[in-house]
Amino acid sequence: MNHKILTLKYYIIFILLLSYACLSGQESVLYYHELNSQGKLSQTTNEFVFQDSRGFTWISSIDGLNRYDGINVEVYKPNKGKNSIEGHIIQSNFFEDNQGNIWFCTYEAINCYRPKTNDFSHFQLHHKKEVVDADYHVIHFEKNREKLWVKIGSAILTFDTKNHTFSDTLVKKVSGYRFLVGQDPNTGKIRSIWAWSFHGDNLSEIYNPNITNPKTVLTPEGDIQKAICISPDSLWVLSNRGIFCISRQTDGQFLVLPVSPIGLNAVDMPLSMLSYHPGQLLFWMPDGSLLSYHIAQNRILRKWHLHAFNPLVRSELIGRNMYLDPQKNIWLSIPGLGLRYANLNRKLFEFVSLASAGSTEQEIASITTIGKLKNGNIYVVEKNRGFMVYVPGAALMEPENSNLLQGKEIFTAVADASGLVYLFTNEEIFFYDYKNNQISYFGPNTSVVFHTSQLRNNQVLALTYLPFRLMDWSVNRSQPLKSIKGIEENTFFRNNYLDRYGTLFLSRNSQYILAGNIRNDSFVLKKKIDIKGLINGYVEDTNKGLIWVASTYGLYTIDQKTLTCQAVSSSDQSTQQYILSMLPDRKKI
């Protein structure tokens, strides 16, 4: 099948998109929270962040330990009581054992927080009847063996968290302050340990159970800032000179390859990175934005902007890190400024960028309709270019016989239960079959349908100029339009929105919104909502249970349970302008 691929030099689509979070090249705005000394952190160099199974977030600093419950911060510092840590400087990550205890290291000792008794215990190595009280660093916790791997001085030891005993590992001379562990994905056993320093280009394999004396030293260009172990034999390394993929070959040697992701400016190197979804990395950029990178496709898939996030004023390497907790909160540690965190799932207002490689020119598109095909591809109707299909990770394409629609303006499009997409022009109805990428003629658009949406029972709700109608489309069984009962005759509705609870919102021009349900071909009114201005569009916030409504008068919220409407009074007009800019019919407030 020969698809006609659009050769756009640079094609950017601004659109409100909630349902299609899987799109490539997607950009979003995240609203973040700050934690710093004003938020009662003990200190603002917070390299290590960890959320335990009870929902508490543990935050390191160079002057005490912090526990954050989402509202308040509790600080732990050395004192003579039981509820005390040993040492000021937290210099390792946090690890939770099978009993819910939290293990970490200060410079002076191994520390353990016990939630059952709400206190701390401390453990130090005894060597030749003397206590070793310097340079502890927890590298890893093996849950199945309940053992910590700990660097003490220049040696690596294991610590049994049940018996509280130390054991040698034969790794005696370690140079480095940061460590990376490669595990067997099935057994959880350690396959390799890597070490590097804050400043320097040496990445050394210091432990490998299959090699007697591993001395591998890899030297990617520039100072190493972060390393990620994708598998025991595959590493990704970020330096201040670039991104590198390192893989162990069959002869035991390592191949170091520089990587240039498509969509990433070679001048702007990430500040840090972490493993995101399987096969993806997450980059933290100097302007505060986040990029998701698909390893196999070697391209940037998504970009998140942090709302009102100023570029970093400090960029010290020591203490800079990022952490993704189980709730998809991304934590950014900025030395001297504290922490910023935002939830990657709570994306109220988004736009999508679809661009071809090597693009240099920009064209703003006006999208009237967007939807999802059964095969996962996305269809869009653009005012000037008509009906197109976007294949994630590939390109925009036109139907093979797109000339059938030449000169015809598509008012709306909707998919039925079989996956066919119906296209409504002023006088005719066409349908698109994704299986053969073909457009076919369906029949005349005698009712002048100009807006459609799909109900849960696969019926199609259509807005016609007069009157309001319901129809059930099938390519093999055409049924006449059925008028909806319960609607005033000769009533014109500007648009409609169906939320996840099945509530239908009908926008009456500059007057009100009718909220109700469709039952047995009848509209059952739940509430008439007075609102000012022409309604441009709706956004559903599933986390807060709100419908955001953008009108030419301002911004409103509707509670999905009570259907109460409230005007959003905010001195920050940029929020309202941003929402309106995402809607097809953009109006200035």
Side-chain angles (χ1 to χ4, degrees):
M1 183 187 303
N2 295 320
H3 291 184
K4 183 179 178 183
I5 304 298
L6 298 181
T7 56
L8 303 178
K9 280 195 171 183
Y10 201 83
Y11 191 78
I12 298 182
I13 298 174
F14 287 116
I15 187 67
L16 180 66
L17 181 63
L18 291 176
S19 303
Y20 311 111
C22 61
L23 258 177
S24 302
Q26 197 175 69
E27 302 193 10
S28 310
V29 169
L30 294 175
Y31 291 81
Y32 67 91
H33 305 269
E34 292 187 50
L35 273 181
N36 47 38
S37 56
Q38 294 179 352
K40 307 304 182 182
L41 284 181
S42 61
Q43 194 269 343
T44 54
T45 298
N46 317 109
E47 182 175 359
F48 304 107
V49 179
F50 172 76
Q51 187 177 95
D52 65 23
S53 59
R54 297 172 299 139
F56 290 109
T57 301
W58 297 87
I59 302 168
S60 72
S61 82
I62 59 175
D63 186 21
L65 173 67
N66 304 269
R67 189 181 73 174
Y68 179 53
D69 62 6
I71 300 176
N72 301 309
V73 177
E74 186 167 356
V75 176
Y76 302 94
K77 289 189 176 183
N79 57 52
K80 296 182 180 180
K82 290 183 64 177
N83 199 16
S84 167
I85 62 174
E86 180 73 22
H88 289 270
I89 303 174
I90 314 296
Q91 61 173 29
S92 78
N93 213 331
F94 303 91
F95 301 90
E96 185 173 7
D97 64 22
N98 298 322
Q99 288 74 45
N101 301 316
I102 307 300
W103 296 85
F104 61 96
C105 271
T106 58
Y107 185 79
E108 291 85 355
I110 299 173
N111 287 251
C112 176
Y113 172 76
R114 298 174 293 194
K116 291 183 178 180
T117 54
N118 190 31
D119 62 6
F120 291 86
S121 54
H122 323 108
F123 305 94
Q124 295 173 311
L125 175 68
H126 290 75
H127 180 67
K128 295 181 179 179
K129 299 183 180 181
E130 293 186 1
V131 175
V132 179
D133 59 357
D135 201 14
Y136 286 77
H137 194 117
V138 174
I139 297 174
H140 181 67
F141 177 63
E142 283 189 276
K143 271 199 170 183
N144 56 340
R145 299 174 61 195
E146 298 194 67
K147 287 188 177 182
L148 292 172
W149 288 66
V150 189
K151 173 184 174 289
I152 304 177
S154 61
I156 302 291
L157 295 91
T158 61
F159 177 75
D160 190 311
T161 57
K162 280 191 171 182
N163 301 323
H164 303 160
T165 56
F166 289 92
S167 301
D168 290 331
T169 64
L170 302 179
V171 183
K172 300 298 183 183
K173 295 182 180 180
V174 176
S175 59
Y177 299 95
R178 289 296 174 264
F179 302 91
L180 182 65
V181 176
Q183 293 179 265
D184 187 297
N186 298 318
T187 64
K189 290 184 178 180
I190 292 181
R191 291 272 301 276
S192 59
I193 299 178
W194 302 80
W196 71 94
S197 300
F198 289 122
H199 299 286
D201 56 4
N202 292 337
L203 179 65
S204 304
E205 187 177 28
I206 61 173
Y207 173 80
N208 189 314
N210 300 320
I211 301 175
T212 305
N213 293 307
K215 298 179 181 180
T216 308
V217 177
L218 308 173
T219 56
E221 298 179 7
D223 293 339
I224 296 174
Q225 301 186 23
K226 191 69 178 287
I228 295 174
C229 191
I230 302 298
S231 71
D233 297 320
S234 177
L235 308 177
W236 282 76
V237 177
L238 171 66
S239 78
N240 60 348
R241 298 283 184 88
I243 303 168
F244 301 86
C245 177
I246 301 174
S247 59
R248 194 192 306 267
Q249 306 300 296
T250 54
D251 60 359
Q253 300 300 313
F254 285 88
L255 179 65
V256 181
L257 295 175
V259 178
S260 299
I262 299 172
L264 180 65
N265 191 335
V267 178
D268 298 325
M269 280 295 102
L271 299 174
S272 188
M273 66 179 182
L274 55 75
S275 182
Y276 187 38
H277 292 305
Q280 293 185 32
L281 303 179
L282 193 65
F283 296 143
W284 174 17
M285 303 305 293
D287 63 357
S289 64
L290 303 172
L291 305 178
S292 67
Y293 167 67
H294 195 289
I295 294 175
Q297 296 179 10
N298 187 37
R299 62 175 295 170
I300 301 300
L301 294 181
R302 189 185 191 94
K303 184 173 184 178
W304 290 268
H305 298 278
L306 294 186
H307 178 69
F309 189 92
N310 294 325
L312 303 183
V313 296
R314 300 185 182 185
S315 59
E316 288 92 337
L317 175 60
I318 301 175
R320 189 172 63 220
N321 208 351
M322 57 193 303
Y323 168 69
L324 187 67
D325 70 22
Q327 281 70 47
K328 295 298 181 183
N329 290 306
I330 183 69
W331 295 75
L332 305 178
S333 173
I334 309 169
L337 298 180
L339 292 163
R340 308 288 190 274
Y341 72 94
N343 193 284
L344 298 183
N345 288 335
R346 296 174 184 172
K347 305 171 291 297
L348 292 182
F349 319 112
E350 307 177 335
F351 59 91
V352 178
S353 297
L354 307 179
S356 57
S359 302
T360 57
E361 298 177 1
Q362 177 172 310
E363 177 180 343
I364 303 300
S366 177
I367 301 299
T368 59
T369 305
I370 187 168
K372 191 171 185 178
L373 297 170
K374 258 193 167 182
N375 61 359
N377 295 336
I378 307 300
Y379 68 84
V380 294
V381 176
E382 199 272 324
K383 185 175 182 181
N384 299 313
R385 300 184 181 273
F387 180 80
M388 296 175 292
V389 174
Y390 174 68
V391 181
L396 283 162
M397 68 180 186
E398 290 178 337
E400 287 188 347
N401 58 341
S402 58
N403 60 314
L404 195 62
L405 298 173
Q406 188 172 359
K408 303 180 187 297
E409 182 179 355
I410 302 173
F411 286 104
T412 187
V414 68
D416 70 1
S418 67
L420 297 174
V421 180
Y422 292 88
L423 312 173
F424 297 84
T425 67
N426 187 33
E427 297 179 348
E428 298 167 301
I429 304 173
F430 299 84
F431 66 89
Y432 170 76
D433 190 343
Y434 70 89
K435 295 178 181 178
N436 57 20
N437 195 36
Q438 293 277 348
I439 296 286
S440 300
Y441 177 75
F442 181 81
N445 186 11
T446 55
S447 299
V448 194
V449 174
F450 73 94
H451 190 282
T452 55
S453 58
Q454 190 172 8
L455 300 180
R456 290 183 175 181
N457 59 0
N458 293 321
Q459 287 180 308
V460 174
L461 187 66
L463 286 181
T464 63
Y465 279 101
L466 286 174
F468 182 52
R469 298 179 182 269
L470 177 72
M471 54 189 173
D472 183 5
W473 289 109
S474 171
V475 69
N476 297 320
R477 179 175 51 85
S478 176
Q479 292 188 359
L481 296 175
K482 295 181 291 186
S483 297
I484 293 291
K485 301 174 184 177
I487 300 293
E488 298 176 15
E489 293 186 2
N490 301 324
T491 302
F492 177 77
F493 294 98
R494 180 178 174 84
N495 51 36
N496 67 68
Y497 179 76
L498 186 71
D499 72 6
R500 58 179 175 145
Y501 298 111
T503 301
L504 180 66
F505 297 86
L506 300 173
S507 306
R508 185 78 167 93
N509 277 353
S510 303
Q511 296 180 23
Y512 53 79
I513 295 174
L514 296 181
N517 301 101
I518 298 292
R519 297 175 185 171
N520 301 322
D521 299 342
S522 296
F523 179 77
V524 180
L525 179 66
K526 296 170 69 174
K527 189 170 184 178
K528 182 178 179 180
I529 303 170
D530 293 323
I531 200 165
K532 295 181 179 179
L534 296 175
I535 306 302
N536 289 323
Y538 302 83
V539 180
E540 185 171 0
D541 182 357
T542 57
N543 294 294
K544 295 183 178 179
L546 297 175
I547 300 290
W548 293 72
V549 182
S551 81
T552 54
Y553 187 84
L555 183 65
Y556 298 84
T557 59
I558 298 176
D559 188 291
Q560 290 178 277
K561 291 184 178 180
T562 63
L563 297 179
T564 54
C565 181
Q566 183 176 357
V568 177
S569 57
S570 172
S571 58
D572 184 9
Q573 292 293 319
S574 62
T575 301
Q576 300 181 30
Q577 292 288 354
Y578 182 79
I579 295 171
L580 291 181
S581 71
M582 297 301 102
L583 301 170
D585 185 14
R586 294 191 289 272
K587 303 282 185 180
K588 289 187 177 180
I589 299 176

